[in-house]
């Protein structure tokens, strides 16, 4: 059954009634030519049917030019009836900056149980969103994906009240690459006043790339395409040819980056003028409550990929560079001596180095600046592949967050099927969802006596498992060894600077 027409700044739209929820899918929030900034879509006057997911960004396996022209859309789920205005969850999907889309996340269940208004967005991926060509004749082609997300946030700020949402109570959220996107987005002046809290799940340790790296990627892609002297021609290059060139360059470059990735938000000095972590450390976001989460065995998925992901090699190399080969061996010996029966010490060390420790450092920066921050780890193994065989690896929390209890949902873009949940899945997922919705509604995930906020000197880590519990992060032999090695490394760096 269609909804009544809802006015927007572009024109009226029609959604569909889905039980207790109204769903509006494929709403165009912007349009863009290739390698150009997003602009508002053409206006319309007759009610537009927005009942099916719109096209998502071109990506490996989906290189249809029609997708490129229509991918900047968003989806809204809002409770039918009830009190308004409601808090809003604005979600940026992950996918290593090259895959995924908002259609993989059905927000109907969360909207009903909030109650809250749930928004998922699409943004340009791979070379279309992250190839930095502004130094190569295409002036607007810098951080286009970030600009897309900002355009979506602007649209929500201007229109969400018409869908029952409160534009003054928006929570930015994202997972994996989407978490990197939201951390960068949250620090931009253009986003200030358009959100009041933020949730980042599994943000990569190094979530901002240098301008020099991005420029090197662009030069190599242009060279691979034979366009060193005709860079403008890349704007009309067939998508399969463009993506094939990027893949070749990516394979050659992956081991040369600190993150193992050729794409991501870029410290370009214009769209992103400052390192996001520095903005957080100086207290610019101290009024924004922040929840940072990760999964216990983040690296298992990447170790088991074929071949193992480049971030495996780069993470080990970075630790060896920081602490020396002797420091690396000391760490690995410590992890072997303290490993759980089902734990791979090498994986656990890499997970801490690339995922958990950078998230904890970000929490320390925010807390030291006077901000409210909570840190969590997801330890539950969902009865859904790949987690059933790999444990609580990257994305396990996300699968439970978007579940429609008592079932996991399908993810059509990534071609992952859902399925029934076990009682343990339901128990942990229900706790995770209710905690998130409490954070979206109140700005804190739980009562202080249940889950205290992360403070300087007091570093509680909430564990989502059976049962939910809180442990101190800054205790144990692993923590002490990291602290010892970091202190020694800092002392050596200071001596070199002084010399």
């Amino acid at each position: 059954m269609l909804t009544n027409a809802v006015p927007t700044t572009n024109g009226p739209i029609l959604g569909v009634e889905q039980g207790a929820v109204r769903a509006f899918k494929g709403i165009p929030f912007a349009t863009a030519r290739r390698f150009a900034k997003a602009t508002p879509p053409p206006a319309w006057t007759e009610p537009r049917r927005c009942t099916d997911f719109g096209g998502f960004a071109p990506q490996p396996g989906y290189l249809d030019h029609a997708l490129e022209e229509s991918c900047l859309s968003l989806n809204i789920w809002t409770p039918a009836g009830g009190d308004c205005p409601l808090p809003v969850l604005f979600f940026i999907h992950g996918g290593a900056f090259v895959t995924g889309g908002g259609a993989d996340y059905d927000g109907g269940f969360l909207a009903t149980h909030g109650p809250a208004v749930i928004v998922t967005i699409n943004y340009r991926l791979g070379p279309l969103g992250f190839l930095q060509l502004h130094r190569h004749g295409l002036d607007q082609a810098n951080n286009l994906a970030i600009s897309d997300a900002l355009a979506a946030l602007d649209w929500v700020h201007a229109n969400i009240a018409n869908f029952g949402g409160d534009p003054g109570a928006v929570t930015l959220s994202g997972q994996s690459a989407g978490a990197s996107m939201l951390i960068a987005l949250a620090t931009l002046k253009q986003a200030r006043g358009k959100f009041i809290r933020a949730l980042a799940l599994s943000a990569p340790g190094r979530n901002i790339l240098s301008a020099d790296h991005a420029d090197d990627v662009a030069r190599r892609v242009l060279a691979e395409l034979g366009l060193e002297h005709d860079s403008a021609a890349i704007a009309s290059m067939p998508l399969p040819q463009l993506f094939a060139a990027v893949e070749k360059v990516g394979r050659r470059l992956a081991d040369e980056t600190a993150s193992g990735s050729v794409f991501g938000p870029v410290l370009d000095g214009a769209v992103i003028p400052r390192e996001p972590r520095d903005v957080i450390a100086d207290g610019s976001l101290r009024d924004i409550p922040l929840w940072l989460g990760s999964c216990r065995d983040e690296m298992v998925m990447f170790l088991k990929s074929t071949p193992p992901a480049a971030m495996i090699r780069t993470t080990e190399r970075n630790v060896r560079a920081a602490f020396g080969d002797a420091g690396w061996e000391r760490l690995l010996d410590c992890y072997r001596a303290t490993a759980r029966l089902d734990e791979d010490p090498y994986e656990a060390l890499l997970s801490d180095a690339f995922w958990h420790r950078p998230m904890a450092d970000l929490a320390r920066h925010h807390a030291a600046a006077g901000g409210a921050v909570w840190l969590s780890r997801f330890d539950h193994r969902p009865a859904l592949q790949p987690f059933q065989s790999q444990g609580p690896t990257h994305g396990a929390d996300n699968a439970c967050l978007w579940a429609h209890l008592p079932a996991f949902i399908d993810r059509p873009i990534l071609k992952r099927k859902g399925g029934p949940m076990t009682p343990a899945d339901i128990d942990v997922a229900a706790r995770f969802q209710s905690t998130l919705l409490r954070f979206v509604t109140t700005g804190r995930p739980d009562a202080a006596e249940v889950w205290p906020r992360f403070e300087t000197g007091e570093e509680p880590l909430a564990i989502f498992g059976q049962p939910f519990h809180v442990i101190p992060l800054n205790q144990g032999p692993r923590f002490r060894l990291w602290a010892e090695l970091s202190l020694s490394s800092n002392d050596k760096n200071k001596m070199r600077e002084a010399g």
Side-chain angles (χ1 to χ4, degrees), residues 103-446:
D104 270 350
Y105 305 92
D106 187 309
F109 189 86
L110 288 176
T112 304
H113 288 78
V117 176
I118 310 298
V119 179
T120 69
I121 72 167
N122 292 334
Y123 55 94
R124 282 174 282 183
L125 299 170
L128 303 178
F130 295 96
L131 194 59
Q132 302 287 101
L133 294 166
H134 60 293
R135 297 181 181 177
H136 301 273
L138 287 87
D139 296 343
Q140 296 185 34
N142 60 315
N143 277 311
L144 290 174
I146 291 290
S147 297
D148 292 346
L150 184 60
L153 183 61
D154 288 343
W155 191 97
V156 167
H157 185 72
N159 292 284
I160 205 65
N162 294 336
F163 298 86
D166 183 352
V170 174
T171 297
L172 289 184
S173 64
Q175 186 264 343
S176 191
S180 287
M181 294 275 290
L182 93 81
I183 289 171
L185 186 66
T187 63
L188 302 184
K189 289 183 179 179
Q190 303 96 307
R192 295 294 282 169
K194 297 170 186 172
F195 71 101
I196 61 170
R197 50 190 73 106
L199 164 63
L201 298 176
S202 297
R206 297 175 182 266
N207 57 11
I208 194 83
L209 300 176
S210 72
D212 287 342
H213 162 79
D215 194 40
D216 186 36
V217 171
R219 284 197 304 270
R220 295 195 190 205
V221 170
L222 290 169
E224 183 68 33
L225 291 167
L227 298 178
E228 301 99 317
H229 305 295
D230 186 20
S231 57
I234 196 172
S236 57
M237 183 68 58
L239 287 178
Q241 192 173 342
L242 172 59
F243 274 71
V246 167
E247 183 182 4
K248 289 179 182 177
V249 170
R251 286 199 300 266
R252 293 195 293 264
L253 265 179
D255 280 342
E256 300 178 23
T257 67
S259 63
S261 172
V262 297
F263 288 135
V266 176
L267 188 60
D268 64 346
V271 177
I272 303 178
R274 295 182 60 201
E275 162 66 58
R277 289 173 183 269
D278 291 343
V279 177
I280 291 172
D282 72 15
S284 297
L285 296 183
R286 68 169 58 91
D287 58 330
I288 303 297
L290 184 61
W291 174 2
L292 303 172
S294 58
C295 296
R296 189 189 70 192
D297 302 336
E298 290 277 4
M299 276 298 196
V300 170
M301 176 181 292
F302 304 101
L303 276 168
K304 291 184 178 296
S305 62
T306 305
M311 71 172 68
I312 301 297
R313 301 182 294 277
T314 56
T315 302
E316 178 176 339
R317 187 174 68 239
N318 292 339
V319 175
R320 288 181 182 273
F323 305 138
D325 292 342
W328 168 266
E329 294 301 332
R330 286 186 65 192
L331 280 166
L332 194 52
D333 286 344
C334 177
Y335 277 73
R336 287 168 177 153
T338 56
R340 304 182 316 271
L341 290 177
D342 62 343
E343 183 177 54
D344 175 351
Y346 181 68
E347 180 278 325
L349 195 168
L350 294 176
S351 286
D352 278 353
F354 189 85
W355 303 95
H356 303 141
R357 286 178 53 77
M359 293 286 271
D361 285 343
L362 191 62
R364 292 184 184 106
H365 287 319
H366 197 55
V373 58
W374 291 265
L375 193 67
S376 69
R377 193 181 75 201
F378 197 85
D379 282 21
H380 174 68
R381 177 197 297 260
L384 176 75
Q385 291 296 1
F387 315 109
Q388 199 159 23
S389 58
Q390 297 182 4
T393 188
H394 189 68
D397 51 358
N398 210 33
C400 289
L401 173 59
W402 295 95
H404 287 204
L405 275 54
F408 295 108
I409 63 171
D410 294 342
R411 298 181 67 184
I413 301 174
L414 294 185
K415 298 179 181 177
R416 289 185 183 175
K417 298 293 291 182
M421 303 173 78
T422 66
D425 291 335
I426 295 170
D427 175 61
V428 176
R431 177 63 184 254
F432 196 59
Q433 291 177 339
S434 64
T435 302
L436 173 135
L437 291 168
R438 187 180 298 111
F439 181 71
V440 168
T441 302
T442 69
R444 63 174 310 119
D446 217 321

